[in-house]
Amino acid sequence: MKKDIILAGVGGQGILSIATIIGEAAIAENLYIKQAEVHGMSQRGGDVQSNLRLSSEPIASDLIPKGGADLIISLEPMEALRYLPYLKQDGWIVTNSVPFVNIPNYPELETLHARMKALPQVVMLDVETLAKEAGAPLQAANMVLLGAAIPMLGLEAEKIEAGVQRIFGRKGEEVVNKNLAAIRAGMNNSIKL
């Protein structure tokens, strides 16, 4: 098993929480893991990106080469497009459909959506709305996105959920349950591979 994943978004959206939970699940499946993170001006809405590499064999580098990513998981649609050069031809994008407009010349939403829909393998969801419908707070929108990416990860959903329980367990059962509800909302609105 080998999976190279780029996680992208804007500071404060929870990209690094997604990486941590995937890492927990990978370790539970006895996989090797390497991670490299880039924290932009995250407190000011800057970009945040993480390279996450999982494998059943030892991994030499923590960076994903151009054309090497199996999956881009992005909480911001323009950030997903920024990393397209890193996506394999048969790779997947799982992204939020709602932008975080943090620059004055942000592209038109219709243009972003048209570019996404033109790609062969994309799951695009309004993760904030799905989190709300699942009874989870807006802060759990990242877990909706993670749930939607589970079919492409090659990891057992139960291991992802166990990672959520370990990571959020110190915050109490209610927080864990809301994050699990968000994960399941994402899974229910994803594709079946």
Side-chain angles (χ1 to χ4, degrees):
M1 189 273 200
K2 181 180 167 295
K3 250 345 143 173
D4 287 338
I5 305 159
I6 292 179
L7 299 135
V10 173
Q13 289 185 307
I15 286 298
L16 301 180
S17 294
I18 293 174
T20 301
I21 291 165
I22 293 172
E24 287 274 324
I27 290 168
E29 291 197 18
N30 295 314
L31 297 174
Y32 291 91
I33 180 171
K34 290 251 182 176
Q35 182 178 0
E37 299 170 359
V38 175
H39 303 262
M41 293 177 56
S42 59
Q43 292 180 341
R44 295 190 181 146
D47 67 317
V48 175
Q49 180 261 346
S50 179
N51 283 251
L52 188 59
R53 306 187 84 188
L54 315 174
S55 179
S56 52
E57 302 294 323
I59 304 165
S61 172
D62 54 357
L63 297 177
I64 299 169
K66 285 189 176 178
D70 299 290
L71 176 61
I72 295 172
I73 301 173
S74 181
L75 277 155
E76 209 295 318
M78 191 173 77
E79 292 300 320
L81 292 173
R82 177 193 307 255
Y83 294 101
L84 272 181
Y86 290 88
L87 190 64
K88 288 181 178 177
Q89 284 189 337
D90 62 344
W92 280 89
I93 294 176
V94 179
T95 187
N96 186 8
S97 62
V98 178
F100 181 91
V101 180
N102 58 350
I103 56 174
N105 58 344
Y106 196 93
E108 294 284 330
L109 186 57
E110 296 79 25
T111 304
L112 282 177
H113 285 185
R115 284 197 62 200
M116 285 293 176
K117 291 175 182 174
L119 298 169
Q121 300 190 113
V122 174
V123 174
M124 192 167 47
L125 304 168
D126 179 344
V127 296
E128 289 89 359
T129 297
L130 289 171
K132 184 178 175 184
E133 289 172 357
L138 182 60
Q139 295 86 351
N142 61 336
M143 294 297 106
V144 172
L145 195 69
L146 175 56
I150 287 175
M152 297 83 167
L153 287 173
L155 300 171
E156 294 176 23
E158 295 79 19
K159 298 264 174 47
I160 296 286
E161 290 187 1
V164 168
Q165 291 170 339
R166 280 191 299 280
I167 299 302
F168 293 111
R170 65 183 177 5
K171 294 184 176 184
E173 189 175 338
E174 183 179 353
V175 171
V176 169
N177 289 337
K178 287 185 178 192
N179 278 282
L180 289 174
I183 290 263
R184 292 173 188 143
M187 285 191 295
N188 292 337
N189 286 280
S190 189
I191 56 138
K192 308 292 182 224
L193 289 180

